[in-house]
Amino acid sequence: MTRVALVTGGTRGIGEAISIGLKEAGYKVAANYAGNDAAAATFKEKTGIAVYKFDVGNFDACKEAAEKIEADLGPVDVLVNNAGITRDATFHRMTPEQWNDVLRTNLDSVFNLTRPVYEGMRNRGFGRIINISSINGQKGQYGQTNYSAAKAGMIGFTKALAQEGAAKGVTVNCIAPGYIGTEMVRAGPAEVLNTKIIPQIPVGRLGEPVEVARCVTFLASDDAGFI
């Protein structure tokens, strides 16, 4: 029986690579997106992967979407919580809206989507929850107290739920990528990239989205049942 994977923020950047990687590994994939209809349509046409537009920061919308995906494709066996936004500002200038927008999309979403699919995973004796955090959730980053807090929260969520799910065959893992060569990262000033970011990376280059996707594909597999 083909397993079903849901990837949030799954039509662009790292999420796009994850969606494609899981499809190539034999999963039926549902890719969530928030608002860019044109990019989602292009992605769907290029990959043949089903796309679902809903707000990951809204619990009711997530519950409804999970039910729709189950009706269309089958129950979700693999959930990749990848959706994320930035609203960067130094803390003394940060607004409540910038804080709340990032926490809602990047952290609340992890609860909002995991909760509707988790009980089914437990009942079936198999589940894979993979959360895409960030190196900035581990070390912090100037101008990103909101983003760093959310990504650190994902790590704590992962560690706690992993202990609850393991005995039921549900693994919960977190990947915290460094700088990955997405459209968003490459859109920044080349001077900053070449003089401040890449010199900090031991291999001397940006990571590629497909390299994160390979980690996800492994963690979703039966081979990762002890992790």
Side-chain angles (χ1 to χ4, degrees):
M1 182 175 172
T2 303
R3 287 178 174 149
V4 176
L6 168 58
V7 183
T8 67
T11 63
R12 301 173 68 191
I14 292 173
E16 177 181 11
I18 292 169
S19 295
I20 292 170
L22 288 169
K23 183 186 179 186
E24 291 176 347
Y27 295 84
K28 287 192 285 188
V29 179
N32 152 264
Y33 73 102
N36 193 325
D37 294 323
T42 299
F43 168 83
K44 182 179 180 180
E45 183 178 356
K46 180 176 75 173
T47 65
I49 293 172
V51 298
Y52 294 83
K53 182 179 182 179
F54 60 92
D55 178 7
V56 296
N58 182 299
F59 179 80
D60 290 336
C62 289
K63 185 172 182 293
E64 184 177 324
E67 291 169 355
K68 168 121 178 81
I69 291 165
E70 180 167 354
D72 292 348
L73 304 177
V76 174
D77 302 297
V78 177
L79 171 63
V80 184
N81 288 305
N82 167 74
I85 62 170
T86 56
R87 297 288 185 269
D88 294 353
T90 51
F91 187 71
H92 68 286
R93 297 181 185 278
M94 186 172 288
T95 66
E97 290 75 22
Q98 288 171 317
W99 175 269
N100 291 329
D101 285 352
V102 169
L103 269 290
R104 182 173 171 272
T105 299
N106 296 22
L107 183 57
D108 290 354
S109 62
V110 179
F111 173 85
N112 290 344
L113 271 167
T114 304
R115 186 65 184 85
V117 304
Y118 181 68
E119 287 184 65
M121 291 178 177
R122 280 171 49 90
N123 292 338
R124 294 188 300 275
F126 179 90
R128 298 285 186 265
I129 298 164
I130 302 160
N131 300 318
I132 308 300
S133 179
S134 168
I135 187 68
N136 293 345
Q138 296 176 311
K139 72 175 185 62
Q141 180 61 277
Y142 183 95
Q144 287 195 331
T145 51
N146 50 4
Y147 185 84
S148 296
K151 292 300 187 179
M154 291 176 77
I155 294 170
F157 176 98
T158 300
K159 290 180 176 181
L161 189 58
Q163 296 183 41
E164 295 185 23
K168 295 292 187 179
V170 182
T171 65
V172 190
N173 285 286
C174 191
I175 297 170
Y179 285 97
I180 305 298
T182 60
E183 181 183 340
M184 182 176 70
V185 170
R186 294 188 188 280
E191 182 185 356
V192 173
L193 194 63
N194 293 326
T195 63
K196 294 188 176 179
I197 293 176
I198 290 178
Q200 297 181 44
I201 303 172
V203 297
R205 65 170 176 84
L206 296 173
E208 294 298 332
V210 70
E211 293 177 298
V212 179
R214 290 181 192 130
C215 296
V216 173
T217 301
F218 170 69
L219 290 172
S221 71
D222 289 341
D223 291 339
F226 196 67
I227 298 176

